[in-house]
Amino acid sequence: MAELGCYDKALECIEKEDYAQAKVFLEKALEEGEIEAYCDLGNLYFKGNGVEQDHKRAFDYYQKGAKAGEPYCMSNLGICYYWGHGVETDLQKSAFYSEKSAKAGVASAMFDTGLNYVYGFGVSQNIEKARYWLEKASDEGCADAFITLGDIYYAGEMVPKDLEKSFHYYQEAEREGLEISKLFLAGFYAEGNVVEKDLEKAKKLYQEAYDFLYEKATLNNDIEAQFRLGSMFFFGRSEIGMKTDYVQAAEWFLKAVENGQHQAENALGIMYYLGLGVGQSYEEAFKWFQKSAERKNVTAIANMGKCYLLGRGVEKDLKKAADCLSQAANLGYANSQGLLGEMYVKGEGVEKNYTKAVYWLKKGCENGERSAYGPLGDCYRKGLGLDKDVKKAFELYQKGADMGNLQSKVSLAESLIEGWGTECDGEQAFRVLVDICSDEEEYRENQIMMTSHNDGNGHFFMEDPLDELNLKHYAKAYYLLGTLYHSGKGAGGANETKAIAMLRMADRLGYEGDGMSPEDLISKIVGETEKKDIHDVTDSYVEVREYEAKERVRMRKRRRGQKIKHEIYDVVLHHADGSESVVNFMGRNQFLYVLALMIAYEGKSVAPLSTAHFAYIREELADMAKALMVDTDSYEEWIDEFVYAEKDEAMDLRDSPGHKGQCYCTPSSSRYSNAYSGANRAIRNACKGDEFEMFRLRSTGGRYAVVGLALDPAQIVLPDSLGRYLDELPTHNEITGFKVDGYRWLSIKGKGEVKE
């Protein structure tokens, strides 16, 4: 039997993990002209096996091997140039060496080259070349190529959407033993796409995928697994009992980001943009969008465009917005196609061009972007960039409305009122507008900060329903509803009181439509002689009015003839007709209601409270209860009873790091319910008719929810004597920045800070 050469001996040593001896044989193999040894020596230094880890030394070996024509060195050189290992990042050189290695037959390099052509890393985007190299890689047994091909056909951005092909490639990946493919296949079975719906199979696949990802993410520090885990926690997987957990999602995305995963950078940007699992910050969001966009992530480029468009996290710049949205639109991103079309209609950041506007809006509609239907309908209705066709406009409004788009719903209602492309139908318009305004009220009163929808093309969107972009559409809906109440053309006939209420809401939301303003229409409704009254009393509002201490007799103590001091404040409801009512309730009910008013007083909106936050400011609340003259011998004990189920369950965290002065105990849902019900009944009795809707306390759902208040801060008047308590109460950011988990406060503020 012939003696093994130095290179073969080196490979045997590597297999036995005897790296020191392997290094000796590899160096001798190089002297004998074995160019393959360059790659293996480079790998030893890259991983730190048997030698001190040194990426620069590894790069040098790869470079020498590549010059000698060794294909695996070329592949590794491409990776080094991509990530900046041992050399400055250079995507063009990375793409050059990866493709050179791919042409030499290295399967992993074929996959990398395919990705480069998908995303435009160092080369011009070219979907045909991307598919060629990915399919070549899959033929060579690279299972990751199947996943990427499945993703491409599922998203349908650069190629026509094809769920059957997507499912086929995911199946091929599973056959090759790639466990992560089960995550995607589970979605098909859960939704019944391509295959028959099978929730049991979906659950099994999700669980297997989760177990696999968790092991890879924790034991192997695998960045793709970390990103996928973050996505699972972000969206939740009800099929395996996994609830949405934004804090854990943020932590997994952060781990992936630290290792350079560009999709996770965009995901983290979204979480900062919406304030999910992290403190809300447009500046942080823009930073992460920009980092991901540098890696040609199309969604991140689109998100940068929105930030420039709205001036969020960066100075407003319509030209830069148009540039970003144009890039994303040309890459097939439907949401950007719709936004870019609107910019061409308005001439924002680009020269006004109705032909280009129609082109991009049609592209957006073809790709299922619901926000594009309304603006395209406007173009047909007005004859902008194409022949006028009001019937086509109505059809587009109807399609967008069916998909849940707010602008399309409002335009649909207006079409039904005006008879644009359809017969006039005030009753149907009325129903559409009532639904819109009811949604707005629901979002506002319950403090719903986001809604979600799937565009049907693999994109999941989360958006603030009361975002400034939507407020103008809600304003118009209230205005149109007000005109229907005034004219009596809607269901139920004329109702001037409701007409005025709707018009006031339109005015508050900044309605800027053509024709008569809400204020002028209100004046027309009530008549010029009563105009002064309308202006003097602009709306209902609530006032906490201070009085000198009073002697009152509590009913439960009257038989004993005891008189006690009680509240030195009264809550007064001022009605739109100029009358007022005093809210005659005391103790817990008044305390709860006044606390809610104070939370609302200096905020942009009324933040929902929770018993957890009562515990968080226990001492401050005790001081306030004392100021309100709540009937109790011990104010701190009174707060304890109000907040806690059992005192001996208290877990005092006051001395724990980062929680000075804070404590948290089990919230008492029963005690909360009694206070809530009493306050709600008292307000109902004090308010008149529909005005109850303006003042009611409302549960926001969930065990820890306490109260949201249907009031705008402008409708609240507090005395100066209560002002000092405002700084002591939790802000909205503090409320949303903490998470209740069992008996512990969890805060990710300052945890896992991302380094530049």
Side-chain angles (χ1 to χ4, degrees), residues 438-510:
S438 296
D439 285 344
E440 188 278 337
E441 182 185 11
E442 181 74 14
Y443 298 145
R444 173 166 40 89
E445 291 186 1
N446 287 326
Q447 293 298 294
I448 296 173
M449 294 181 292
M450 63 196 66
T451 55
S452 61
H453 75 275
N454 191 313
D455 69 352
N457 289 306
H459 295 122
F460 183 85
F461 291 92
M462 300 189 76
E463 51 193 15
D464 179 356
L466 299 180
D467 186 271
E468 63 185 73
L469 295 176
N470 289 329
L471 292 185
K472 61 181 180 180
H473 302 306
Y474 286 122
K476 187 171 186 177
Y478 276 109
Y479 182 84
L480 293 173
L481 188 55
T483 63
L484 289 179
Y485 274 123
H486 172 50
S487 66
K489 292 181 180 178
N495 187 322
E496 291 188 355
T497 301
K498 288 189 175 181
I500 291 173
M502 296 300 104
L503 293 169
R504 283 198 177 123
M505 195 64 194
D507 188 51
R508 185 181 301 134
L509 293 176

Side-chain angles (χ1 to χ4, degrees), residues 538-678:
T538 57
D539 212 334
S540 307
Y541 66 99
V542 65
E543 174 189 12
V544 180
R545 184 181 292 170
E546 184 173 7
Y547 286 97
E548 294 182 3
K550 304 172 184 179
E551 296 289 333
R552 293 182 180 173
V553 179
R554 291 288 296 270
M555 290 297 294
R556 64 185 175 85
K557 293 188 177 182
R558 181 172 291 174
R559 282 180 295 178
R560 290 182 290 173
Q562 293 176 301
K563 291 185 177 182
I564 61 168
K565 285 186 176 181
H566 207 68
E567 295 84 354
I568 58 174
Y569 299 93
D570 277 335
V571 180
V572 182
L573 303 180
H574 295 267
H575 303 288
D577 62 4
S579 63
E580 62 183 46
S581 301
V582 177
V583 181
N584 293 312
F585 59 95
M586 297 179 270
R588 299 180 191 279
N589 301 336
Q590 180 161 332
F591 179 80
L592 178 64
Y593 186 53
V594 173
L595 176 61
L597 291 176
M598 293 176 69
I599 290 290
Y601 183 67
E602 288 195 342
K604 291 183 179 179
S605 59
V606 185
L609 308 177
S610 85
T611 46
H613 298 105
F614 285 13
Y616 172 53
I617 50 171
R618 172 176 171 272
E619 294 177 7
E620 291 86 346
L621 294 181
D623 289 341
M624 195 177 102
K626 185 175 182 180
L628 290 169
M629 300 292 287
V630 171
D631 178 24
T632 180
D633 294 326
S634 170
Y635 293 101
E636 290 204 4
E637 287 184 8
W638 188 86
I639 293 295
D640 285 344
E641 290 176 2
F642 192 93
V643 176
Y644 306 138
E646 298 292 341
K647 291 182 185 178
D648 58 6
E649 291 180 8
M651 293 181 63
D652 196 342
L653 302 179
R654 295 184 185 183
D655 298 324
S656 62
H659 295 281
K660 185 177 182 181
Q662 301 172 16
C663 66
Y664 174 67
C665 304
T666 308
S668 169
S669 57
S670 60
R671 295 191 184 278
Y672 149 64
S673 298
N674 293 335
Y676 166 82
S677 300

Side-chain angles (χ1 to χ4, degrees), residues 305 317-327 340 343 348-350:
D317 190 322
L318 295 179
K319 187 177 184 309
K320 287 183 179 179
D323 289 343
C324 290
L325 294 174
S326 181
Q327 286 184 58
L340 185 62
M343 295 186 79
E348 294 180 340
V350 292

Side-chain angles (χ1 to χ4, degrees), residues 27-85:
E27 288 172 343
K28 288 182 179 179
L30 281 180
E31 294 173 1
E32 295 173 357
E34 296 282 354
I35 62 172
E36 293 92 343
Y38 281 116
C39 187
D40 295 289
L41 264 172
N43 291 343
L44 292 182
Y45 281 101
F46 191 90
K47 298 175 183 178
N49 290 335
V51 293
E52 186 176 346
Q53 189 177 48
D54 188 337
H55 285 166
K56 179 66 175 65
R57 192 87 178 266
F59 174 83
D60 290 340
Y61 276 116
Y62 295 148
Q63 191 173 46
K64 289 175 182 177
K67 287 181 179 178
E70 209 289 313
Y72 288 94
C73 281
M74 297 174 193
S75 177
N76 288 346
L77 205 56
I79 293 170
C80 287
Y81 274 117
Y82 182 87
W83 293 108
H85 293 319

